[in-house]
Amino acid sequence: MDRSEYLVALRQYLFQNGMSTEDIEEAMSFYGDFIMDSTPEEYQRLGSPSELGSKILAENGTFTGNPGSFQMEAAFVGGQNRQDQYYNNAADDQARRNKMLLLIILVVTIPVWGGVAFGLVAAAFGIIVGLGAAVLGLGAAGIALLIEGIRDLFTVPPVGLALTGAGFLMFGLCGVIFVPLIRLVIRFVKWAASTVSSALNNLLSGVRA
Amino acid sequence: MGFPLSAQLLDSLVLSVVERSDTYGYELTKNIRDCAPVSESTLYPVLRRLMKNGLLESYDKEYMGRNRRYYHITENGKVALRGLRRDWEEHKQSVEMILNNRGESHYGQI
């Protein structure tokens, strides 16, 4: 059997066993090339056209009644899952396109949400500064009362005692509120920063990948 | 080579050969055979999968009155190959560590 007879027989075998024309063309372009390029000993190693054909069909996922030929395929499918991390398969491409689209939408609509976002950040900043000022004010008032009270202790002792007490109370309250407030603010800022940066990272890396 | 090739290693070899220069099925098979006894019917599904995943692309070029199909590595293919090479390096080191008692083990040198 010469090369062209071999190829005709192979094509016929694939066709008779229900392989799609598209798959046949692809397989034939590979094996046809190989057979045309190889020496007679080399292409005879492929086996008869029907032997090679049933291997091709098995790898193509078409069952020819030879269960042994499926084991190779199973090994490849198993190996394939582990490699998925490298391969931009269709699903990844879709996800990337979606992220790209989202990024474009976000950039284009900056005039719409930019003002709102800026307003929210400014409002949060205002509340934090306001609270901080109020608490510090409480502390300052406490110190003032303390000083006044200590001075009054020598002139009008009862009033001095009351003022000193009030001063301690206010100064203490300031400390009790201020420290946790600062901690809370730091935690909030950290959280907000990491949330924003991870969202950005996710979006950008998705587009770049 | 006495050790069986995993699908991942086979992919790495095919990508490396094609990265050197565009090549066709016969030449590719000969190159891979230098290190592993693979058959043509093993390489065809590998090529198909690599093309399906966009790591390789093919084009036809006239050769002695017929079209011969050449394979070319894509940018995605180069990226994947870099990842595979990194993995191979790690794999090689961890095998060497035990096999040849080289490198640092968690338990120090035995």
Side-chain angles (χ1 to χ4, degrees):
Chain A
M1 191 183 280
D2 71 14
R3 289 189 173 86
S4 48
E5 282 169 346
Y6 188 98
L7 289 175
V8 169
L10 178 61
R11 182 185 287 271
Q12 201 167 7
Y13 181 88
L14 295 176
F15 179 75
Q16 280 167 355
N17 282 281
M19 200 178 195
S20 75
T21 339
E22 202 185 322
D23 286 343
I24 291 179
E25 287 313 318
E26 244 211 85
M28 290 308 295
S29 75
F30 178 81
Y31 288 103
D33 264 7
F34 184 85
I35 288 163
M36 295 307 279
D37 285 325
S38 58
T39 63
E41 300 81 58
E42 279 171 332
Y43 90 78
Q44 268 154 24
R45 248 195 344 244
L46 292 171
S48 71
S50 55
E51 276 167 349
L52 177 61
S54 64
K55 270 189 210 159
I56 298 174
L57 288 170
E59 276 143 10
N60 198 49
T62 316
F63 187 61
T64 53
N66 178 7
S69 60
F70 266 70
Q71 287 168 4
M72 190 67 188
E73 171 75 351
F76 270 103
V77 171
Q80 216 171 332
N81 292 338
R82 287 195 43 211
Q83 300 158 4
D84 282 349
Q85 46 181 315
Y86 299 115
Y87 298 157
N88 294 318
N89 51 32
D92 277 352
D93 275 351
Q94 187 58 45
R96 199 163 70 212
R97 268 197 291 279
N98 286 348
K99 278 182 178 174
M100 193 98 88
L101 199 64
L102 185 62
L103 191 69
I104 292 170
I105 291 173
L106 280 177
V107 171
V108 169
T109 54
I110 274 184
V112 179
W113 59 265
V116 177
F118 184 76
L120 279 175
V121 171
F125 185 72
I127 290 172
I128 290 167
V129 170
L131 270 175
V135 175
L136 282 180
L138 196 68
I143 291 171
L145 276 177
L146 249 176
I147 294 168
E148 185 57 34
I150 288 167
R151 219 191 304 158
D152 284 351
L153 271 179
F154 302 102
T155 49
V156 204
V159 174
L161 268 180
L163 286 183
T164 325
F168 272 122
L169 184 69
M170 285 166 84
F171 190 67
L173 268 179
C174 164
V176 165
I177 299 170
F178 194 70
V179 176
L181 183 72
I182 289 291
R183 270 197 203 130
L184 208 69
V185 168
I186 290 172
R187 262 174 60 185
F188 174 73
V189 170
K190 271 188 186 161
W191 170 81
S194 75
T195 307
V196 170
S197 81
S198 76
L200 270 180
N201 255 337
N202 184 18
L203 208 60
L204 290 177
S205 71
V207 172
R208 246 187 269 122
Chain B
M1 190 166 93
F3 300 98
L5 281 180
S6 71
Q8 199 173 359
L9 201 48
L10 203 49
D11 285 11
S12 317
L13 294 176
V14 170
L15 284 171
S16 298
V17 171
V18 181
E19 193 199 30
R20 256 184 270 151
S21 66
D22 290 5
T23 183
Y24 53 95
Y26 178 71
E27 196 181 56
L28 179 71
T29 311
K30 286 207 120 183
N31 267 307
I32 303 288
R33 270 178 182 278
D34 284 346
C35 94
V38 290
S39 79
E40 301 67 36
S41 49
T42 310
L43 281 179
Y44 176 58
V46 172
L47 282 169
R48 246 169 68 117
R49 191 176 62 235
L50 293 174
M51 288 206 284
K52 205 183 100 208
N53 288 313
L55 307 188
L56 289 183
E57 53 195 17
S58 68
Y59 58 92
D60 291 339
K61 203 161 118 184
E62 170 119 9
Y63 173 77
M64 290 180 61
R66 65 184 168 91
N67 272 338
R68 198 193 244 162
R69 177 152 296 186
Y70 280 78
Y71 300 92
H72 173 78
I73 193 164
T74 63
E75 278 310 309
N76 277 349
K78 288 178 187 169
V79 172
L81 183 56
R82 272 202 293 277
L84 287 165
R85 282 192 173 133
R86 227 181 4 252
D87 272 18
W88 168 249
E89 209 47 49
E90 273 172 33
H91 178 75
K92 199 174 72 179
Q93 274 169 18
S94 55
V95 170
E96 284 253 296
M97 206 164 73
I98 294 175
L99 193 63
N100 293 330
N101 200 17
R102 262 185 219 150
E104 273 177 47
S105 125
H106 291 299
Y107 309 102
Q109 288 285 358
I110 300 161

